[in-house]
Structure formats: C-alpha cells, structure tokens
Amino acid sequence: MFRDVLRIADVRRVEAAWLAFNAGEWAIWVAILVYAYTASGPASVGIVAVAQLLPAAIAAPLTAKIGDRMPRGRALTLAYATTGAAMLAAGLAMFVGLPPLIVYVLAASVVVAYTSIRPIQSAILPAVVGRAEHLTAANALSTLLEGTGVLIGPLLCGLVLTLASPAAVYVGAGVATLIAALLVGPLHSLASRPVVQAASDVEPPAQTEARRSRIQAVLAEPGRALAVALLAARFGVAAAMDVLVVFASIEVLGMGQAGAGFLSAAIGVGWVVGGALTVGLVGRPHLTPLLLIGACIWAVPVVGVARVSEGTAALVLLVAAGIGLAVVDVAVRTVLQRLVPVEDLPSVFGLAEGASMGGAATGALVAGVLVAVVGLGGAIVASALTLPLVALAIFRTVGRDEAAHPIPFRQIALLRRLPLFAPLAPPALEAAAASLSAEALPAGTSVITEGDVGDRFYAIEEGEVQVSQGGRVIGRLGPGSSFGELALIRDIPRTASVVTVTDVALEALDRDAFLLAITASQGAADEAARIAAAYRTRDDG
C-alpha cells in the first residue's frame, strides 16, 4: 500500500514534511516545560503549559481557514515557514538570555502558527494523490507518521537535552520545520485558485440553531455527558503528568532535564502497546467496567512513580501507565459511539475534543499548584487517583445507559469476517456495524448495474448472488462475501452487475460511512489498495 502511494513525489514531500513537523512539535512541548522550570521556577511550569494550550483553542477556528483563502500548496508552505521561524525565534531568545516572558510569548506564537497545518494537510492530500485508493493509503500513512512523531519527538528532546539546552531543541525543531517548508515548496501551484467560501455556503442561522439544539438533546442523556467528562479527565491527567515528569526527572530521579523527554516518551510507548491490546474490545457487551479497569491500570504505576527514586523503574512504570490511558481512551470513545446516534457523532466528538483540550489545560495548571501545596509526591498521587475516581463516579450512570443501547453483534461478526474490515480498531468497527442497513431481496433482483454510480457497499449474510461483466457471468458470491467496494475505493462507475440468484439478506453501507471506516485503519487501507490493484491487474490482463 505505502509503496504505491510513495511512488508519487508530491506525496513523499508532504509526508516527509508532516513527520518532521510532528516530531518537532512534540519535542518543543517537553522543552518549554523544562525551560520554564529552570528559567522562572517550578511554580511556573503549569502556567506555561496552559499558555501553550489556550492559544491553540483560540486561534484554531481562524487559522484553519487559511487553506481556503489561498492556494493550498502555498498555504502549507507558509504555515511551515511561519512555524519554523517562530520556533527559531523562541530558541534564539533562550540562547541570548532574553526575559522568560518574551520567550513564553514567542513560544505561544509557535502554537498559533501551527494550528493551521493539520487542516491544510488534510485538505491538500486529495490534490496530490489523485486516486481514491491512494488517498486512503496517504491518510493512513499520515496517521502512522503522526504517531511516530508523538513517540520520537520527546525522545529526541531527551537526547538533545543530554548535550545542550531547551534552546537547542527549539532551534532543531525550527530547522526541521523550515526544511518541511522547503519540501512542500514545489506544491505552490496546487489548488492554484483560492477557494473562498461563498455566502450561499454559510450555514443558515436556523440550521446552526437546529444543530446546537440536537447536540444539547444528545448530551441531555447523562451517560453521554459523563463519558465526555471522563475523556476530558483522561486528557487532564495526561497533561498533568507532562508537567510532573519535569519535576520528577530533575528533583527526584536524578535524570536531569533530558529525563523529562525520556519519561514522556515512555508514556507514549505504553500508549502504543495499549492501543494494540484493545483490539479485543470490539463487540464486547459491557465496556463501562473497562473504563474503571483502565483507570486503575493508569493509577497503580503512577502512584509507584511517586515512591521510586531511580530512573529506570520510573520509565517502566510510566510505560504501564500509558497502557492504562490507551484502554480508557478506546473504551470511552467506543461507549460514546454506542450511546450517540450515528448522525450526531461528528458534532459530539467535536465537542468531546474541545472538552479534552479544556481538560488538558486544567490538568497542566492544577499540577503546578498541587506541587506548591502538597509537594511533588502528593501531586503525582493526585494525578494517579483522579482518573479512577472520575471513572468510579460515572460508572453506574454510564453503565446503565450503555446497557440500554443494543450492540450490533451480528453485524460486527459479519464485518469482522471480511478482510477489508477485520483490521479496524474497535470503535471504528462498531461504528461501521452500527451504520449498516439490512436489505432483504427476492431472487432475480438486480442489486447493482454495470456503469451506474457506486453509492453503497454490500455484505452477504444469507443467500447467493451472480456477478457478470459485459454480459458474461464471472462468478457467484455467497454468505460471508461482499461486493461493491471497487467503485467506492477508486471513485469510478460500477464495473460489474450483480443479480440475486436466491432470496438474499444483505447488509449495506453507504459510501461516506464505508470510506470513513477504511480510512480509519492502516490495515484496512492496505487491503483496499490490494483489492484495487488486483482488479486493475485483472482488467489489464
């Protein structure tokens, strides 16, 4: 899959720039906290962390529109160049010893600058790949590289801090981001005409009000609102630990400034491991207990961190803690998908992301206050216990609401047998299963016709269908098989006709839900690319 899409030079440029930026972004997040500790005192670390988060929340709605106001290739180049220059400015301010307040303002400007990069990255990929199956692969690659940046950014920060200072981290990240700007520079002609939102495209006030009312109605069910609260708490304790590991590394563990990067990276390693372990959660009837279990998996090793004085032990404990965070994250998102109507999921998850950002800002701020009030050990224990206490508080209500919503076990089992859907993570697989619609058709019914526009994917639950191409029968499909995916993957008309041979029971997935599902997983995207390539080989032959 990746080999095909990486043959496209523009994709290589965009993805290489994306990796460089993500690694730099996560490296400077640790670096600014270390700088705050040494430059303006331990009490400032939490405040500085919040000062990095709030500009993102304020600026994001405005900077996200840059890609629609100028050619997107030029917009991406400008975003990387501006971000890289801001990183260099902050790093140089640290080097020459300017007052910390100036450094913090410059560091905040970095956050404001890079809030536009993700929206432009998402918007520019369709222009550089050209084919639907390549877009799926490119999106999966972007997700993989973003995760890689989350891991290697703090690790690289730790390595740099063993030899130099936070200033060097900022300068290094700035150079990497300016290189990213150079990489995407040749794309300046993409989308050469600015796409400015027309007045007719603006959502009418009545529609906006209706959407807000619908979200309020959705969150009126206590279980949904409390699940969002747990997600915010999960981000809050993670941000608090980002602050506290700086204190622990320098004051207790003897790992120095560099240790903060290594400790943050350890949580990231645990996150990756925990994400892999959650594959078995799909289709389980009661996930609410896992919210509490995952919170306890987080809490126990974090309490251990408060009691150890050796760096290696802390690293191991934080890997275990990261596993707990991943379990909570996957479980709570899956529970939300079960509780919220499919048509309201985008709005509710948008609200959840906003709550998560607010939780992170609160956690970072409270962490610094707790260190001053109850000491480092007490602050770490508080961060450990907050998540299980919140999970325990919501346990009964969320569990009751989850039990009241049926889980599509039969549809999940059907999709799980299909190679295209088997790689999906639990939330994505359950969401796809919930979006299926049943169709019972008698023998002799035409399901799809060659040359028509493809709008649905079909899985066969019972019965048999006949597939023909150019008037020639090319095969039959039975239970556990699927059809209709090629037109959706490649964005082309139907390449064959399908007629029922017997009475059949089908489960259908519309185009948008299908593409959303296969884009959510590297494995699913890989299988989609393989299917498309196999059809091309057959057609060419």
Side-chain angles (χ1 to χ4, degrees):
M1 172 190 65
F2 290 157
R3 181 169 50 192
D4 289 341
V5 77
L6 286 175
R7 289 195 179 107
I8 305 171
D10 287 347
V11 172
R12 293 198 299 271
R13 292 178 176 277
V14 170
E15 299 293 8
W18 180 241
L19 175 60
F21 160 69
N22 273 282
E25 175 192 1
W26 285 95
I28 64 171
W29 167 249
V30 177
I32 192 63
L33 300 183
V34 171
Y35 172 84
Y37 183 95
T38 57
S40 51
S44 69
V45 176
I47 298 173
V48 171
V50 174
Q52 303 304 297
L53 294 168
L54 288 182
I58 296 171
L62 301 175
T63 58
K65 298 178 181 179
I66 291 176
D68 289 334
R69 300 293 177 178
M70 66 174 66
R72 286 173 182 162
R74 189 182 304 163
L76 188 58
T77 303
L78 176 63
Y80 279 134
T82 303
T83 301
M87 289 175 176
L88 285 178
L92 292 175
M94 294 179 191
F95 264 127
V96 301
L98 292 181
L101 181 59
I102 295 177
V103 172
Y104 299 146
V105 171
L106 291 172
S109 74
V110 173
V111 182
V112 172
Y114 72 54
T115 52
S116 65
I117 292 176
R118 280 180 174 79
I120 300 172
Q121 166 83 5
S122 299
I124 204 171
L125 279 178
V128 299
V129 297
R131 302 178 66 98
E133 69 268 27
H134 285 164
L135 178 58
T136 300
N139 282 329
L141 181 58
S142 293
T143 300
L144 175 64
L145 293 179
E146 183 172 6
T148 302
V150 171
L151 281 177
I152 68 174
L155 180 61
L156 290 174
C157 175
L159 292 174
V160 171
L161 290 178
T162 60
L163 304 172
S165 66
V169 177
Y170 262 85
V171 170
V175 170
T177 307
L178 289 177
I179 291 173
L182 293 175
L183 285 171
V184 300
L187 307 179
H188 70 276
S189 61
L190 283 176
S192 57
R193 296 176 64 186
V195 182
V196 180
Q197 188 180 41
S200 60
D201 294 332
V202 177
E203 186 177 65
Q207 187 175 343
T208 300
E209 184 59 33
R211 176 170 51 83
R212 289 174 180 169
S213 298
R214 190 171 66 249
I215 295 174
Q216 291 173 356
V218 168
L219 292 181
E221 185 173 312
R224 298 165 180 168
L226 291 175
V228 171
L230 179 62
L231 196 60
R234 166 257 177 275
F235 275 86
V237 298
M241 281 306 296
D242 284 338
V243 172
L244 296 175
V245 295
V246 175
F247 290 84
S249 178
I250 296 173
E251 296 182 1
V252 177
L253 301 175
M255 299 174 69
Q257 297 180 4
F262 298 139
L263 294 171
S264 294
I267 297 176
V269 171
W271 171 269
V272 172
V273 174
L277 294 176
T278 57
V279 172
L281 299 185
V282 63
R284 289 186 176 274
H286 303 294
L287 288 186
T288 303
L290 281 172
L291 301 178
L292 187 55
I293 292 172
C296 291
I297 294 174
W298 155 264
V300 172
V302 172
V303 169
V305 171
R307 301 180 63 85
V308 300
S309 58
E310 199 272 322
T312 302
L315 289 169
V316 172
L317 288 169
L318 288 175
V319 169
I323 294 173
L325 278 187
V327 171
V328 171
D329 195 80
V330 172
V332 73
R333 290 178 188 275
T334 305
V335 168
L336 264 178
Q337 286 181 326
R338 291 176 177 178
L339 300 181
V340 176
V342 173
E343 64 272 15
D344 293 321
L345 281 174
S347 296
V348 171
F349 272 100
L351 179 65
E353 291 305 310
S356 299
M357 185 174 293
T362 302
L365 181 61
V366 170
V369 174
L370 285 175
V371 171
V373 174
V374 298
L376 177 58
I380 293 176
V381 171
S383 176
L385 297 181
T386 296
L387 200 57
L389 288 175
V390 174
L392 185 62
I394 72 170
F395 182 84
R396 183 174 180 179
T397 301
V398 174
R400 182 191 62 225
D401 287 359
E402 184 191 16
H405 289 74
I407 301 170
F409 292 111
R410 181 173 50 79
Q411 291 86 345
I412 289 172
L414 178 62
L415 290 182
R416 186 184 262 158
R417 293 198 301 268
L418 302 177
L420 192 55
F421 288 86
L424 292 183
L429 184 56
E430 287 200 26
S435 299
L436 288 170
S437 59
E439 295 187 11
L441 302 176
T445 302
S446 175
V447 185
I448 62 176
T449 302
E450 186 174 354
D452 283 355
V453 175
D455 60 351
R456 308 191 96 189
F457 165 84
Y458 296 91
I460 305 174
E461 194 166 21
E462 297 178 5
E464 191 175 59
V465 300
Q466 177 179 278
V467 184
S468 61
Q469 191 173 51
R472 179 174 59 89
V473 175
I474 60 175
R476 289 193 174 193
L477 301 173
S481 300
S482 61
F483 59 92
E485 69 276 7
L486 184 61
L488 306 183
I489 294 171
R490 296 181 61 185
D491 194 20
I492 58 175
R494 296 293 194 189
T495 60
S497 296
V498 177
V499 178
T500 60
V501 177
T502 66
D503 293 348
V504 299
L506 302 175
E507 291 286 349
L509 192 63
D510 68 32
R511 176 190 178 87
D512 290 343
F514 173 83
L515 293 176
L516 179 63
I518 65 171
T519 304
S521 162
Q522 174 186 337
D526 198 353
E527 179 63 17
R530 186 197 66 77
I531 290 171
Y535 276 109
R536 282 200 303 270
T537 301
R538 188 193 69 185
D539 293 343
D540 293 343

